mmCIF file of all heavy atoms in Angstrom:
data_model
loop_
_atom_site.group_PDB
_atom_site.id
_atom_site.type_symbol
_atom_site.label_atom_id
_atom_site.label_comp_id
_atom_site.label_asym_id
_atom_site.label_seq_id
_atom_site.Cartn_x
_atom_site.Cartn_y
_atom_site.Cartn_z
ATOM 1 N N GLU A 365 78.631 -3.550 -15.087
ATOM 2 C CA GLU A 365 79.071 -3.863 -13.743
ATOM 3 C C GLU A 365 78.094 -3.542 -12.607
ATOM 4 O O GLU A 365 78.085 -4.202 -11.572
ATOM 5 C CB GLU A 365 80.339 -3.014 -13.508
ATOM 6 C CG GLU A 365 81.117 -3.462 -12.193
ATOM 7 C CD GLU A 365 82.559 -2.751 -12.083
ATOM 8 O OE1 GLU A 365 82.812 -1.768 -12.776
ATOM 9 O OE2 GLU A 365 83.241 -3.228 -11.245
ATOM 10 N N ALA A 366 77.354 -2.367 -12.804
ATOM 11 C CA ALA A 366 76.342 -2.018 -11.781
ATOM 12 C C ALA A 366 75.207 -3.052 -11.725
ATOM 13 O O ALA A 366 74.746 -3.096 -10.623
ATOM 14 C CB ALA A 366 75.769 -0.719 -12.315
ATOM 15 N N HIS A 367 75.155 -3.973 -12.523
ATOM 16 C CA HIS A 367 74.017 -4.979 -12.454
ATOM 17 C C HIS A 367 74.583 -6.328 -11.940
ATOM 18 O O HIS A 367 73.851 -7.263 -11.839
ATOM 19 C CB HIS A 367 73.362 -5.273 -13.897
ATOM 20 C CG HIS A 367 72.638 -4.051 -14.365
ATOM 21 N ND1 HIS A 367 72.308 -3.951 -15.683
ATOM 22 C CD2 HIS A 367 72.096 -3.001 -13.762
ATOM 23 C CE1 HIS A 367 71.586 -2.839 -15.843
ATOM 24 N NE2 HIS A 367 71.437 -2.252 -14.700
ATOM 25 N N LEU A 368 75.895 -6.440 -11.757
ATOM 26 C CA LEU A 368 76.563 -7.663 -11.479
ATOM 27 C C LEU A 368 75.974 -8.384 -10.212
ATOM 28 O O LEU A 368 75.572 -9.581 -10.298
ATOM 29 C CB LEU A 368 78.050 -7.599 -11.283
ATOM 30 C CG LEU A 368 78.819 -8.866 -10.951
ATOM 31 C CD1 LEU A 368 78.668 -9.849 -12.068
ATOM 32 C CD2 LEU A 368 80.297 -8.491 -10.759
ATOM 33 N N GLU A 369 75.823 -7.733 -9.191
ATOM 34 C CA GLU A 369 75.394 -8.412 -7.888
ATOM 35 C C GLU A 369 73.985 -8.832 -8.055
ATOM 36 O O GLU A 369 73.600 -9.934 -7.513
ATOM 37 C CB GLU A 369 75.489 -7.331 -6.729
ATOM 38 C CG GLU A 369 76.885 -6.963 -6.325
ATOM 39 C CD GLU A 369 77.097 -6.052 -5.157
ATOM 40 O OE1 GLU A 369 75.914 -5.716 -4.677
ATOM 41 O OE2 GLU A 369 78.147 -5.776 -4.812
ATOM 42 N N ASP A 370 73.116 -8.017 -8.711
ATOM 43 C CA ASP A 370 71.678 -8.477 -9.030
ATOM 44 C C ASP A 370 71.737 -9.703 -9.840
ATOM 45 O O ASP A 370 70.923 -10.535 -9.604
ATOM 46 C CB ASP A 370 70.837 -7.284 -9.570
ATOM 47 C CG ASP A 370 70.669 -6.107 -8.615
ATOM 48 O OD1 ASP A 370 70.759 -6.354 -7.512
ATOM 49 O OD2 ASP A 370 70.272 -4.963 -9.201
ATOM 50 N N ALA A 371 72.525 -9.709 -10.949
ATOM 51 C CA ALA A 371 72.515 -10.822 -11.722
ATOM 52 C C ALA A 371 72.901 -12.157 -11.116
ATOM 53 O O ALA A 371 72.351 -13.149 -11.165
ATOM 54 C CB ALA A 371 73.502 -10.574 -12.911
ATOM 55 N N VAL A 372 73.975 -12.075 -10.355
ATOM 56 C CA VAL A 372 74.530 -13.251 -9.540
ATOM 57 C C VAL A 372 73.451 -13.863 -8.609
ATOM 58 O O VAL A 372 73.187 -14.921 -8.418
ATOM 59 C CB VAL A 372 75.878 -12.992 -8.914
ATOM 60 C CG1 VAL A 372 76.204 -14.107 -8.042
ATOM 61 C CG2 VAL A 372 76.881 -12.680 -9.966
ATOM 62 N N ALA A 373 73.025 -12.755 -7.831
ATOM 63 C CA ALA A 373 71.865 -13.154 -6.790
ATOM 64 C C ALA A 373 70.702 -13.888 -7.466
ATOM 65 O O ALA A 373 70.149 -14.914 -7.002
ATOM 66 C CB ALA A 373 71.448 -11.894 -6.062
ATOM 67 N N ALA A 374 70.234 -13.223 -8.697
ATOM 68 C CA ALA A 374 69.059 -13.828 -9.350
ATOM 69 C C ALA A 374 69.377 -15.200 -9.787
ATOM 70 O O ALA A 374 68.510 -16.204 -9.655
ATOM 71 C CB ALA A 374 68.693 -13.060 -10.454
ATOM 72 N N LEU A 375 70.588 -15.432 -10.450
ATOM 73 C CA LEU A 375 70.845 -16.727 -10.882
ATOM 74 C C LEU A 375 70.924 -17.815 -9.913
ATOM 75 O O LEU A 375 70.497 -18.950 -9.932
ATOM 76 C CB LEU A 375 72.298 -16.715 -11.646
ATOM 77 C CG LEU A 375 72.200 -15.955 -13.064
ATOM 78 C CD1 LEU A 375 73.596 -15.725 -13.448
ATOM 79 C CD2 LEU A 375 71.465 -16.880 -14.123
ATOM 80 N N LYS A 376 71.646 -17.348 -8.633
ATOM 81 C CA LYS A 376 71.765 -18.354 -7.563
ATOM 82 C C LYS A 376 70.433 -18.669 -6.886
ATOM 83 O O LYS A 376 70.235 -19.882 -6.519
ATOM 84 C CB LYS A 376 72.658 -17.732 -6.568
ATOM 85 C CG LYS A 376 74.177 -17.775 -7.010
ATOM 86 C CD LYS A 376 75.028 -17.353 -5.955
ATOM 87 C CE LYS A 376 76.582 -17.435 -6.365
ATOM 88 N NZ LYS A 376 77.555 -16.900 -5.356
ATOM 89 N N SER A 377 69.568 -17.664 -6.930
ATOM 90 C CA SER A 377 68.233 -17.952 -6.290
ATOM 91 C C SER A 377 67.248 -18.771 -7.265
ATOM 92 O O SER A 377 66.490 -19.654 -6.747
ATOM 93 C CB SER A 377 67.548 -16.524 -6.052
ATOM 94 O OG SER A 377 66.213 -16.587 -5.729
ATOM 95 N N GLU A 378 67.364 -18.519 -8.548
ATOM 96 C CA GLU A 378 66.342 -19.062 -9.441
ATOM 97 C C GLU A 378 66.670 -20.284 -10.079
ATOM 98 O O GLU A 378 65.876 -21.172 -10.396
ATOM 99 C CB GLU A 378 65.934 -18.126 -10.564
ATOM 100 C CG GLU A 378 65.260 -16.766 -10.036
ATOM 101 C CD GLU A 378 63.954 -16.985 -9.490
ATOM 102 O OE1 GLU A 378 63.182 -17.797 -9.988
ATOM 103 O OE2 GLU A 378 63.568 -16.140 -8.503
ATOM 104 N N MET A 379 67.921 -20.508 -10.339
ATOM 105 C CA MET A 379 68.380 -21.664 -11.187
ATOM 106 C C MET A 379 68.629 -22.863 -10.184
ATOM 107 O O MET A 379 69.190 -22.769 -9.077
ATOM 108 C CB MET A 379 69.770 -21.344 -11.907
ATOM 109 C CG MET A 379 69.572 -20.243 -12.795
ATOM 110 S SD MET A 379 68.137 -20.390 -14.038
ATOM 111 C CE MET A 379 68.865 -21.731 -15.099
ATOM 112 N N ASN A 380 68.293 -24.022 -10.719
ATOM 113 C CA ASN A 380 68.363 -25.329 -10.048
ATOM 114 C C ASN A 380 69.760 -25.774 -9.911
ATOM 115 O O ASN A 380 70.623 -25.853 -10.845
ATOM 116 C CB ASN A 380 67.621 -26.408 -10.840
ATOM 117 C CG ASN A 380 67.428 -27.686 -9.894
ATOM 118 O OD1 ASN A 380 68.297 -28.044 -9.226
ATOM 119 N ND2 ASN A 380 66.308 -28.486 -10.171
ATOM 120 N N ARG A 381 70.281 -26.070 -8.690
ATOM 121 C CA ARG A 381 71.779 -26.406 -8.424
ATOM 122 C C ARG A 381 72.009 -27.688 -9.207
ATOM 123 O O ARG A 381 73.233 -27.970 -9.481
ATOM 124 C CB ARG A 381 71.981 -26.639 -6.979
ATOM 125 C CG ARG A 381 72.183 -25.393 -6.203
ATOM 126 C CD ARG A 381 73.542 -24.865 -6.420
ATOM 127 N NE ARG A 381 73.804 -23.673 -5.711
ATOM 128 C CZ ARG A 381 74.919 -22.973 -5.966
ATOM 129 N NH1 ARG A 381 75.826 -23.319 -6.892
ATOM 130 N NH2 ARG A 381 75.088 -21.860 -5.165
ATOM 131 N N ASP A 382 71.062 -28.511 -9.466
ATOM 132 C CA ASP A 382 71.263 -29.727 -10.253
ATOM 133 C C ASP A 382 71.825 -29.479 -11.741
ATOM 134 O O ASP A 382 72.372 -30.130 -12.347
ATOM 135 C CB ASP A 382 70.056 -30.700 -10.240
ATOM 136 C CG ASP A 382 69.850 -31.200 -8.882
ATOM 137 O OD1 ASP A 382 70.638 -31.211 -8.065
ATOM 138 O OD2 ASP A 382 68.586 -31.597 -8.608
ATOM 139 N N VAL A 383 71.305 -28.210 -12.151
ATOM 140 C CA VAL A 383 71.726 -27.838 -13.643
ATOM 141 C C VAL A 383 72.930 -27.023 -13.721
ATOM 142 O O VAL A 383 73.812 -27.348 -14.276
ATOM 143 C CB VAL A 383 70.482 -27.154 -14.192
ATOM 144 C CG1 VAL A 383 70.875 -26.576 -15.591
ATOM 145 C CG2 VAL A 383 69.262 -28.034 -14.187
ATOM 146 N N ILE A 384 72.981 -26.030 -12.860
ATOM 147 C CA ILE A 384 74.019 -25.073 -12.808
ATOM 148 C C ILE A 384 74.928 -25.347 -11.508
ATOM 149 O O ILE A 384 74.326 -25.115 -10.333
ATOM 150 C CB ILE A 384 73.695 -23.627 -12.864
ATOM 151 C CG1 ILE A 384 72.912 -23.368 -14.201
ATOM 152 C CG2 ILE A 384 74.733 -22.623 -12.647
ATOM 153 C CD1 ILE A 384 72.373 -21.913 -14.467
ATOM 154 N N GLY A 385 76.035 -25.794 -11.633
ATOM 155 C CA GLY A 385 76.839 -26.009 -10.397
ATOM 156 C C GLY A 385 77.551 -24.837 -9.931
ATOM 157 O O GLY A 385 77.828 -24.810 -8.818
ATOM 158 N N GLU A 386 77.942 -23.876 -10.835
ATOM 159 C CA GLU A 386 78.866 -22.793 -10.300
ATOM 160 C C GLU A 386 78.474 -21.613 -11.029
ATOM 161 O O GLU A 386 78.236 -21.557 -12.237
ATOM 162 C CB GLU A 386 80.292 -23.186 -10.478
ATOM 163 C CG GLU A 386 81.251 -22.071 -10.005
ATOM 164 C CD GLU A 386 82.783 -22.450 -10.377
ATOM 165 O OE1 GLU A 386 83.048 -23.507 -10.897
ATOM 166 O OE2 GLU A 386 83.495 -21.675 -9.868
#
Side-chain angles (χ1 to χ4, degrees):
E365 189 175 16
H367 293 161
L368 177 61
E369 291 181 5
D370 289 343
V372 172
L375 289 169
K376 288 182 174 179
S377 170
E378 296 294 328
M379 301 304 293
N380 190 328
R381 279 283 180 187
D382 294 337
V383 177
I384 296 177
E386 184 182 1

